Amino acid sequence: MKIIDARVVISSPGRNYVTLVIETESGVIGVGDATLNGRELSVASYLRDHVVPLLIGREANRIEDTWHYLYKGSYWRRGPVQMTAIAAVDIALWDIKGKVAGLPVYELLGGAAREGVMVYGHATGADLDELKDDFRKHLDAGYKAVRAQCSVPGLSKTYGVPPADGRMYEPASGSLPQQDVWETTAYLDFAPRMMEAIREEFGFGVHLLHDVHHRLTPIEAARLGAALEPYRPFWMEDPTPAEDQSAFRLIREHTTTPIAVGEVFNSIWDCQQLITERLIDYIRTSVSHAGGITHLRRIFSLAELYGVKSGSHGAGDLSPVSFAAALHVDLSIPNFGVQEYMGHREPANEVFHTSYSFENGYMHPGNLPGLGVEFDEKAAAAFPYDPKYLPVNRKLDGTVHDW
């Protein structure tokens, strides 16, 4: 069954998404997510100019061969642009294979290893009272795991807390990146008080997560991890910039707080040391940024050998196609930990029609053949691309810092 057409669709139904559509000679169509937030057009160009011409005439069922053909054949390997492009192709081919077989993708991956996928939501607030209110709403909705982020007193903006007007982090169309201001001491003083307040209000019967978002030095992260231990967090996410894998050894030596990292990783080699030296507890690589279902399963298989669980990134800037693919992987692997779930802004449901479901803190990808997501290209045309940038972070003295 040969590929006869492949096209890249850029749309913005609430967020910017890049969708790859692959069509076969039998009429079966598969879709993949190629979204790289803030750099969407780079992946779209990579696909259109360099990958799509290579797909026409290839056998759609040869997923493994196609993955290596695109990865090794480029010579210039890895990085977010290439790996996101390969992921889009890979996801679309798994979608096709499932539709041809008449089975949901998770059945092709070995079948369900659990009844559902535990997901965590995001509770936020401009102050502790607002955070508690939002946290309670998540518990009332059935969540078993909730991430807590709150504005740090003295800072005009804090990561994880959306703007008061309900907009996204990304600024309005056509403007330069938003400039945020950061001060580490204020954060290190406040974060333990925030976690203490949540535990005092809601007890220890809910999994409590927190995202540092790469802001700390290794010794600062070690200090924070030690300070959070009494509140038994499910994890401390991205405590220090992920590129320096050896830094996590220092953190590990000073705290027993579980560590999660990896949403910015693109390949198994990016996280090899962290996994094999047991420097982390959860690996957060995502299906759309780490080479698709084929490569993400390799990462999770390596992690399984060393007792590391999955905790995949699932932000709203990854399309419903990506999230569906993640759920199929989550449901099938033995070392699943938790899945991030932020949902998608309207009118995404006009463009992406999904079969996955949420009930009592767990999600299921559904049992439709393939991924269970239908992409409406005509509807997508009504939502043109809207250029945006992620923020830039600066310390109080003006130094550019990790956002």
Side-chain angles (χ1 to χ4, degrees), residues 67 71 78-87 266-267 288-291 295:
W67 196 96
Y71 178 79
R78 296 160 61 184
V81 173
Q82 185 199 30
M83 297 303 282
T84 301
I86 292 176
N266 311 123
S267 74
S288 282
H289 295 159
H295 195 66

Side-chain angles (χ1 to χ4, degrees), residues 117 287 293 296 312-313 321-331 339:
V117 172
V287 66
I293 292 171
L296 185 63
S312 288
H313 181 58
V321 174
S322 176
F323 188 71
L327 290 177
H328 283 280
V329 175
D330 295 335
L331 196 67
Q339 170 68 54

Side-chain angles (χ1 to χ4, degrees), residues 336-352:
F336 170 74
V338 72
Q339 170 68 54
E340 182 178 21
Y341 176 55
M342 289 183 66
H344 296 90
R345 288 172 170 258
E346 301 296 348
N349 65 338
E350 297 180 23
V351 176
F352 302 94

Side-chain angles (χ1 to χ4, degrees), residues 109-131:
L109 302 179
R114 57 196 46 81
E115 298 303 314
V117 172
M118 185 175 73
V119 296
Y120 71 89
H122 291 194
T124 68
D127 55 36
L128 288 176
D129 288 336
E130 279 193 14
L131 172 61

Side-chain angles (χ1 to χ4, degrees), residues 64 166 202 209 258 304 320 346:
E64 188 75 26
F202 301 104
L209 299 80
E304 180 194 358
E346 301 296 348

Side-chain angles (χ1 to χ4, degrees), residues 13 26 35 39 46 52 63 73 78 88 123 126 152 158 167 170 219 222 238 244 251 270 303 332 340 369 374 401:
S26 64
T35 307
R39 296 294 185 270
Y46 190 95
V52 166
I63 297 176
R78 296 160 61 184
V152 176
T158 301
R167 293 183 299 175
E170 298 88 335
I219 198 65
D238 292 340
D244 183 3
I251 303 172
D270 295 331
S332 65
E340 182 178 21
E374 294 300 323
H401 192 52

